Amino acid sequence: MSSTQAPPAAAHVAHDDHHDHPAHLAHHFDDEEQQFDAGKLGIWLFLVTEILFFSGLFCAYSIWRHEHPEVFLYSHYYLSTFWGALNTCVLLISSLTAAWAVRTAQLGDNRKTALLLGLTILCAFGFLGIKSIEYGGKFAHGTGPGKFFNPHPEHMIVTAENYTVLVGHAGHMAEGRLAEMQAEHPEEFDALFHESREHVLEEALAAKAASMSTEKDPVTVADLSDAVRAEVEGAIDADHAAHGHGFEAHAAPEAHVPGAHGHEGDVHAADAHESSAEVEHSRIEKAMLHHESEVVLSEYEERPASVRTFFSIYFAMTGLHGIHVVAGIIAIGWVMRRAMRGEFNPGYFGAVDYVALYWHLVDLIWIYLFPLLYLIH
Amino acid sequence: MATTQTAGVEVHRPGVTPSKDNYLNHSKGLMSWLFTLDHKRIGVMYTIAVLAAFTLGGFFALAVRTELAAPNTGDGAWQMLPSGAVYNQMFSLHGAIMVFLFIIPSIPAALGNFVLPIMLGVKDVAFPRLNLFSFHLWILGAAFFLLALATGGLDTGWTFYTPYSLEGHSTSAVIAATTGAFVLGFSSIFTGLNFIVTLHKMRPTGMTWFRMPLFLWGLYATAVIQVLATPVLGITLLLLIVERAFKIGIFDPSLGGDPVLFQHFFWFYSHPAVYIMVLPGMAIVSELIGTFSRKHIFGYRFIAMSSVAIAIFGFFVWGHHMFTSGQSALASTVFSGLTFSVAIPSAIKVFNWVTTMWKGDIHLKTPMVYALGFILLFMIGGVTGLFLGTLSTDIHLHDTYFIVAHFHYVMVGGTLWAFLGGLHYWWPKISGKMYSEKVGVTASLIALLGFNLTFFPQFMLGSQGMPRRYFDYLPEFQAYHVWSTIGAYVLLIGLVMVAYNLVMSMIKGKQAPDNPWGSNTLEWKCSSPPPHHNFEHQPTVGDPYDIEGYVYEPSIDGYVRPDEAAVETAGRS
Amino acid sequence: MSHDEHGFAHVMSIKMLIGVWAALMILTGITVWSAQHHFGALDLPIAMGIATFKALLVALFFMHLKYDRPFNGLIFLASIIFAGVFVTISMMDTGQNQGAIQELRTATGTTADG
């Protein structure tokens, strides 16, 4: 690729089509509007690629959640709604300042633009700070992504702070499950009913025997006469006839476990709502509920397989988002510096607009990440 | 208008615009190239870079073919490579380098960068810095591939399928190669983004959408795919890297992940990527066929729109790569049906090319020989693609040499042939020199022969059950393998001749005229090579395929348009 | 809403900016509140509906799409459609391989994690 004809003095041929160009207008554009439009289309196309980039993670998320809902339900107790919501607000504030900065740049007010961009960066650092508190908690408790998932048993779901909440939650879950069982597996339901009735009866008989006992004359269950037995049994059945109204999923005002507990330091959890256990059940039904609650609790204690994947997905999504926040800080910092130098004017403010668009997209992705990761039922 | 004032004597020949200052000599020194913002220099650097990658990938291909010349045991046994593991690395590196470093950037980034702004009649692409950044990303991506080579070699196949890529022997090689492909993906995205913005926002007065040359339509459709599909490759590879490094459990079945999900992710990009490879090739051929048939292109709008249609349809057929991967029967059936839809716009193009040639005055110049080769090879590749898109036949042919032959006909027959056709077509513009037609045509025909000899027997091999990617085979397959290996060396001879011809043209080629082929697109209205800012003054835009008015001028071995020449002379005096 | 001073871009009024921001904050409150209550199968659609409404507010006003060239909005929409195609078609296969994965994990004793 060497030279063709030797150019005697042609090294700097003046292209004098430059002279009517303002300094901020690149040589290959005709006017400011064309330059602005080109940049704007460019940044929009870039945002398109960003959306498709994140779509892979949303796809992985959807498939995992669809395959293993129990993993998501179980795991989201480890995320703090409080921090998540706070971060959402921080990002929204930063979006406001970024959009405002575009306005001031359009009006040519470089001082205000720099100030607003500075506030945006401040919020971005705030976001990262909160995120690092959350991440720190995760790693401290061994719930990191992938091979960093090595949770210490005492930090798994049942802890002192959240146990009461969980019991209420388990009661609620038990009610739903029993209703489902009654509808779909009546034979199983009947078996559980009889088992529970036996259990209640045994307890009642033992209580009866204890009430009839005196110091000198202990009465055991075996000593009870058939008539007494029949009376106790009758009382239980009468109670059931009077108070047994079956299980109805979500019939009562629902109790639900408030977002999150324990690990990241917010202890707003304990104020559990009224539990559906308030509804008067017959003794047999209470026994059934108790049994089922135990099952639910034991399932929580035995954490489902693949919980690590939830944390992997959580870290992948928030981590990639976090990287975008860092990139945003750099980009906004660069534009802020230019604003401080007074480079923007009503004919040339594209850079502020483009960076703000990018920043809004980062916010937009978080708007979806927050409910998908922190607010799972 | 520039006229050369040499010792006070005005030297001017119509059709040869003497240009003292052109993009090649505008500034000097290595740095003036490596950090240039001039799209033409970036295009030239890309051309050199992708050809270097092609040479490296070709070396691995020859290693594979040489190894397969004979079975490893029995009479006349032959084993060149030390082990099957090395063989795995050879074909993996061949595929990955050819796809990511050569085919995908070849036409859009190399030729497209050089030609697009000139064809459009503008000074540069919309974002020259981003353009340079794309090229630097390409270099970085290539460096990662070399790193993969150095750290144990990639042995996963070019597709990085899980679980191979999670279990392969060298973690660092897999991570290096996927990082390389990730970086190259962004290089490709930025090129596509740049082209879309350029075509939307920079078109000069008179250059309406339907006055755009078909090459630009092809690049536009390609750029749409680059922008929409490549990010998914990015996230896929990123997830693969973290899966391999941190065991996150999205693709790894031993952690509950779904390895087939990787294939969905991968092919969502990689099937549209097939059209990133072939659409620009089709677009070049659309330029060549009209010019060398000395006729207006037939069905301009159909060719333009079929590019866009292929780009969009291409997004809905990815599952046809997964018929035997454990995809659900429903998905396979749907994908099989959708696959056939792509045949329609492809066939529309072939129909229009053939119709353009009909009763044309066909000039068998080197670029035209490549264009005709393209049509032949692409037809074979496309039609065998229909066999494979059919669910029931694919079950038998999947992962056999039939597939290998099919996609080589499409990718090499499609992209490489169009790339070489385009390179020869624009070579006078790029270098300012003419190459030898005799050598050019001969090289093209030898390469065509070699290519068919290499890959046609593979259709037979595949339909008889020879699986792809095997290090060894049964003696009954040997005859076809021998033909195939001989063909590979014939192809090598053809390609060496091509290189020789182009290099020699730079040393002692004749000065190229402005318009050696008599084409009416704008890149032929500036000097060869073009000046730094492409045009001394803005060319007028008309129908890009209105070539009837050009007449051949033997004194310059090029074409002039008498009516325009008269106007220019008048303007000059 | 002030008039365009330069002719090629719309300037958002301060009132509008703060109004949109306040709406976003309120919607965040609503989504957190709704998460404390059970709406059964509607939980996810409600959460996603609120998120999408918020996203629309951001896109239309903060990102100026309402006043921008329609083409920019079109490509934004196109990206969401293509992302939707990608996620939906990939999900068509969900469950197809779960049995095999479980078998593998049982056979290789890799069911426990952590």
Side-chain angles (χ1 to χ4, degrees):
Chain A
M1 294 294 133
S2 62
S3 66
T4 41
Q5 303 141 303
H12 327 275
V13 172
H15 284 273
D16 42 16
D17 47 49
H18 284 250
H19 65 261
D20 54 343
H21 269 47
H24 59 252
L25 182 59
H27 77 96
H28 57 296
F29 290 112
D30 296 335
D31 56 36
E32 291 166 340
E33 181 167 5
Q34 187 191 30
Q35 174 165 286
F36 173 76
D37 274 353
K40 191 115 174 180
L41 180 59
I43 191 73
W44 272 110
L45 285 167
F46 180 69
L47 299 189
V48 163
T49 69
E50 288 285 17
I51 288 170
L52 282 145
F53 194 65
F54 272 94
S55 75
L57 288 176
F58 282 102
C59 187
Y61 172 93
S62 312
I63 286 175
W64 263 88
R65 184 161 176 183
H66 190 263
E67 293 292 357
H68 302 285
E70 75 286 354
V71 169
F72 280 73
L73 195 61
Y74 175 89
S75 310
H76 94 280
Y77 289 112
Y78 293 87
L79 303 185
S80 157
T81 310
F82 171 73
W83 289 125
L86 186 65
N87 249 350
T88 309
C89 296
V90 170
L91 268 193
L92 286 177
I93 295 169
S94 73
S95 253
L96 172 68
T97 53
W100 201 330
V102 175
R103 176 191 152 84
T104 53
Q106 282 173 320
L107 300 175
D109 188 342
N110 279 293
R111 255 193 64 239
K112 267 194 203 152
T113 306
L115 179 72
L116 285 161
L117 291 173
L119 285 175
T120 312
I121 292 176
L122 212 63
C123 287
F125 275 113
F127 179 90
L128 290 178
I130 292 172
K131 208 83 224 127
S132 66
I133 294 173
E134 291 191 74
Y135 277 12
K138 298 276 173 308
F139 277 96
H141 296 121
T143 49
K147 66 182 180 190
F148 304 109
F149 184 78
N150 187 20
H152 318 308
E154 70 269 26
H155 291 302
M156 288 320 286
I157 194 83
V158 183
T159 63
E161 296 103 314
N162 65 18
Y163 191 76
T164 44
V165 181
L166 263 176
V167 171
H169 182 59
H172 161 73
M173 294 261 301
E175 178 130 5
R177 285 198 192 186
L178 286 171
E180 197 185 314
M181 194 195 279
Q182 191 168 14
E184 288 170 23
H185 306 285
E187 65 295 335
E188 250 178 67
F189 183 82
D190 286 346
L192 180 60
F193 179 85
H194 286 297
E195 196 185 302
S196 303
R197 186 174 173 276
E198 287 303 304
H199 187 69
V200 171
L201 182 61
E202 262 169 45
E203 277 186 357
L205 287 174
K208 187 78 186 167
S211 72
M212 286 162 71
S213 302
T214 55
E215 274 295 314
K216 283 181 277 174
D217 185 15
V219 180
T220 62
V221 174
D223 301 330
L224 294 175
S225 66
D226 282 356
V228 174
R229 280 171 186 269
E231 181 200 327
V232 172
E233 213 166 330
I236 289 168
D237 290 337
D239 166 65
H240 185 63
H243 298 290
H245 42 68
F247 303 97
E248 215 173 314
H250 319 306
E254 294 307 340
H256 184 57
V257 189
H261 327 282
H263 299 300
E264 278 83 44
D266 68 313
V267 197
H268 70 124
D271 56 335
H273 292 243
E274 296 296 288
S275 163
S276 60
E278 299 295 310
V279 176
E280 198 54 42
H281 278 293
S282 71
R283 284 157 75 189
I284 297 174
E285 282 174 350
K286 279 181 187 162
M288 290 170 82
L289 275 173
H290 179 74
H291 173 267
E292 201 60 29
S293 300
E294 291 290 308
V295 173
V296 170
L297 277 178
S298 70
E299 279 172 15
Y300 274 122
E301 282 166 66
E302 258 174 64
R303 93 189 110 86
S306 307
V307 163
R308 67 185 267 161
T309 306
F310 174 85
F311 288 100
S312 299
I313 290 176
Y314 165 80
F315 272 97
M317 294 181 105
T318 57
L320 191 64
H321 181 263
I323 291 171
H324 280 79
V325 172
V326 174
I329 290 175
I330 296 168
I332 298 170
W334 168 69
V335 178
M336 187 174 100
R337 197 176 144 72
R338 296 184 63 184
M340 281 156 71
R341 289 181 181 169
E343 288 186 22
F344 300 114
N345 60 59
Y348 181 69
F349 57 86
V352 186
D353 199 3
Y354 312 149
V355 167
L357 280 172
Y358 168 81
W359 190 250
H360 294 314
L361 187 86
V362 172
D363 183 22
L364 222 145
I365 286 166
W366 183 259
I367 284 177
Y368 280 95
L369 288 184
F370 172 55
L372 285 176
L373 292 171
Y374 289 81
L375 307 176
I376 298 169
H377 301 298
Chain B
M1 190 64 184
T3 50
T4 316
Q5 297 284 344
T6 312
V9 184
E10 182 171 312
V11 183
H12 179 75
R13 289 185 294 162
V16 182
T17 308
S19 170
K20 285 191 291 186
D21 172 51
N22 62 49
Y23 82 99
L24 292 169
N25 62 22
H26 181 70
S27 51
K28 287 205 186 311
L30 186 64
M31 288 302 139
S32 78
W33 279 84
L34 289 180
F35 294 95
T36 181
L37 297 180
D38 180 355
H39 70 95
K40 296 180 289 300
R41 285 190 169 193
I42 293 172
V44 168
M45 287 194 293
Y46 259 122
T47 309
I48 296 167
V50 299
L51 286 173
F54 178 72
T55 310
L56 184 63
F59 165 77
F60 291 122
L62 283 178
V64 166
R65 274 322 319 163
T66 310
E67 170 59 45
L68 291 174
N72 296 344
T73 47
D75 287 342
W78 152 263
Q79 184 182 331
M80 182 189 74
L81 299 173
S83 68
V86 175
Y87 176 82
N88 288 351
Q89 293 178 18
M90 291 292 133
F91 76 68
S92 298
L93 285 163
H94 163 68
I97 288 175
M98 284 300 197
V99 168
F100 293 113
L101 285 168
F102 173 67
I103 304 182
I104 287 180
S106 64
I107 298 176
L111 295 177
N113 243 319
F114 187 92
V115 175
L116 179 136
I118 318 183
M119 236 182 188
L120 198 62
V122 296
K123 289 179 192 158
D124 210 323
V125 292
F127 310 119
R129 275 192 194 84
L130 186 67
N131 200 17
L132 178 66
F133 183 57
S134 292
F135 177 67
H136 289 164
L137 281 180
W138 188 95
I139 298 283
L140 184 66
F144 273 110
F145 269 97
L146 293 179
L147 186 66
L149 201 62
T151 54
L154 178 74
D155 61 353
T156 62
W158 78 275
T159 54
F160 309 119
Y161 269 9
T162 53
Y164 306 135
S165 48
L166 302 173
E167 292 163 358
H169 80 286
S170 171
T171 297
S172 47
V174 170
I175 290 182
T178 43
T179 308
F182 179 86
V183 171
L184 290 169
F186 278 89
S187 165
S188 172
I189 287 173
F190 292 139
T191 301
L193 188 154
N194 222 333
F195 285 2
I196 293 180
V197 176
T198 308
L199 293 175
H200 267 278
K201 299 293 178 191
M202 309 284 286
R203 276 176 293 119
T205 327
M207 182 62 84
T208 57
W209 281 101
F210 287 108
R211 270 191 188 164
M212 276 188 354
L214 289 164
F215 183 55
L216 300 187
W217 271 104
L219 287 179
Y220 181 72
T222 308
V224 169
I225 308 175
Q226 286 175 306
V227 166
L228 282 175
T230 318
V232 176
L233 175 75
I235 193 68
T236 309
L237 296 175
L238 199 60
L239 282 173
L240 181 61
I241 292 168
V242 286
E243 181 79 271
R244 175 104 199 194
F246 303 125
K247 303 244 160 265
I248 60 170
I250 288 177
F251 298 134
D252 188 343
S254 69
L255 300 171
D258 186 347
V260 180
L261 183 62
F262 177 84
Q263 298 189 18
H264 275 298
F265 275 51
F266 184 80
W267 289 112
F268 180 83
Y269 161 75
S270 291
H271 191 75
V274 171
Y275 303 110
I276 296 179
M277 304 176 197
V278 82
L279 274 175
M282 291 169 155
I284 287 182
V285 170
S286 304
E287 297 293 332
L288 302 185
I289 295 286
T291 301
F292 292 99
S293 303
R294 307 307 306 145
K295 258 183 77 187
H296 193 287
I297 190 88
F298 183 86
Y300 168 88
R301 281 184 189 230
F302 277 95
I303 297 181
M305 284 299 129
S306 62
S307 292
V308 179
I310 290 174
I312 292 170
F313 288 4
F315 276 94
F316 297 89
V317 301
W318 79 81
H320 69 220
H321 294 269
M322 300 167 57
F323 287 160
T324 62
S325 300
Q327 180 177 246
S328 63
L330 171 70
S332 291
T333 314
V334 170
F335 278 124
S336 177
L338 288 171
T339 297
F340 295 117
S341 68
V342 184
I344 299 167
S346 310
I348 287 176
K349 283 184 187 287
V350 176
F351 173 80
N352 283 301
W353 295 330
V354 173
T355 317
T356 304
M357 288 189 286
W358 172 254
K359 292 192 174 170
D361 173 18
I362 295 173
H363 291 208
L364 283 176
K365 298 282 189 179
T366 311
M368 186 61 169
V369 176
Y370 280 106
L372 295 176
F374 172 97
I375 296 179
L376 172 75
L377 301 179
F378 182 73
M379 283 291 290
I380 297 176
V383 171
T384 52
L386 292 177
F387 299 17
L388 297 171
T390 311
L391 196 45
S392 49
T393 34
D394 183 70
I395 302 293
H396 296 282
L397 294 172
H398 191 83
D399 272 347
T400 67
Y401 265 75
F402 195 91
I403 298 271
V404 178
H406 158 71
F407 71 69
H408 279 89
Y409 267 92
V410 175
M411 292 187 187
V412 184
T415 315
L416 179 64
W417 249 253
F419 175 75
L420 290 176
L423 189 62
H424 283 88
Y425 181 59
W426 285 302
W427 185 260
K429 192 55 67 180
I430 295 171
S431 69
K433 301 287 183 169
M434 297 303 287
Y435 49 80
S436 155
E437 272 299 329
K438 210 188 290 172
V439 181
V441 171
T442 316
S444 176
L445 291 174
I446 291 176
L448 187 71
L449 173 74
F451 177 83
N452 281 296
L453 200 54
T454 313
F455 291 104
F456 209 84
Q458 296 188 3
F459 283 123
M460 265 80 101
L461 272 175
S463 56
Q464 290 175 16
M466 170 79 203
R468 71 190 282 201
R469 294 183 169 170
Y470 274 35
F471 179 46
D472 196 4
Y473 54 84
L474 298 173
E476 69 210 58
F477 294 125
Q478 193 180 359
Y480 292 126
H481 273 298
V482 168
W483 280 116
S484 188
T485 302
I486 293 172
Y489 281 93
V490 176
L491 180 56
L492 173 70
I493 293 169
L495 293 175
V496 168
M497 278 176 74
V498 170
Y500 167 83
N501 192 23
L502 295 181
V503 170
M504 284 312 282
S505 81
M506 285 190 291
I507 298 168
K508 53 178 203 181
K510 279 194 302 182
Q511 160 73 38
D514 291 1
N515 193 348
W517 318 118
S519 170
N520 196 35
T521 44
L522 298 185
E523 78 272 28
W524 305 110
K525 299 194 176 180
C526 61
S527 58
S528 304
H532 179 60
H533 279 307
N534 296 347
F535 297 99
E536 294 297 338
H537 49 205
Q538 195 62 31
T540 47
V541 182
D543 178 351
Y545 299 106
D546 174 25
I547 56 175
E548 314 272 314
Y550 285 93
V551 293
Y552 182 66
E553 169 58 50
S555 69
I556 56 163
D557 192 20
Y559 285 76
V560 288
R561 191 162 193 153
D563 43 337
E564 262 182 17
V567 172
E568 279 197 15
T569 316
R572 194 170 282 122
S573 55
Chain C
M1 231 150 295
S2 61
H3 53 281
D4 296 355
E5 5 275 293
H6 206 78
F8 62 79
H10 174 266
V11 182
M12 287 283 287
S13 71
I14 295 177
K15 220 164 74 185
M16 200 66 181
L17 286 171
I18 300 212
V20 170
W21 175 76
L24 288 167
M25 293 299 273
I26 291 167
L27 286 166
T28 306
I30 294 176
T31 198
V32 171
W33 174 82
S34 75
Q36 322 290 333
H37 298 264
H38 243 320
F39 301 101
L42 289 176
D43 280 334
L44 192 61
I46 289 175
M48 287 298 96
I50 296 173
T52 304
F53 189 59
K54 285 168 75 180
L56 267 177
L57 285 180
V58 172
L60 287 177
F61 298 101
F62 281 179
M63 299 172 95
H64 295 104
L65 269 185
K66 185 167 188 286
Y67 314 97
D68 205 349
R69 292 177 190 277
F71 187 72
N72 291 338
L74 183 77
I75 57 172
F76 189 55
L77 192 68
S79 74
I80 291 164
I81 292 172
F82 275 87
V85 166
F86 170 46
V87 176
T88 321
I89 301 188
S90 295
M91 282 195 75
M92 212 155 82
D93 255 8
T94 320
Q96 183 67 20
N97 304 304
Q98 288 304 309
I101 293 166
Q102 273 315 313
E103 254 170 53
L104 174 96
R105 298 188 78 186
T106 315
T108 53
T110 48
T111 39
D113 56 8

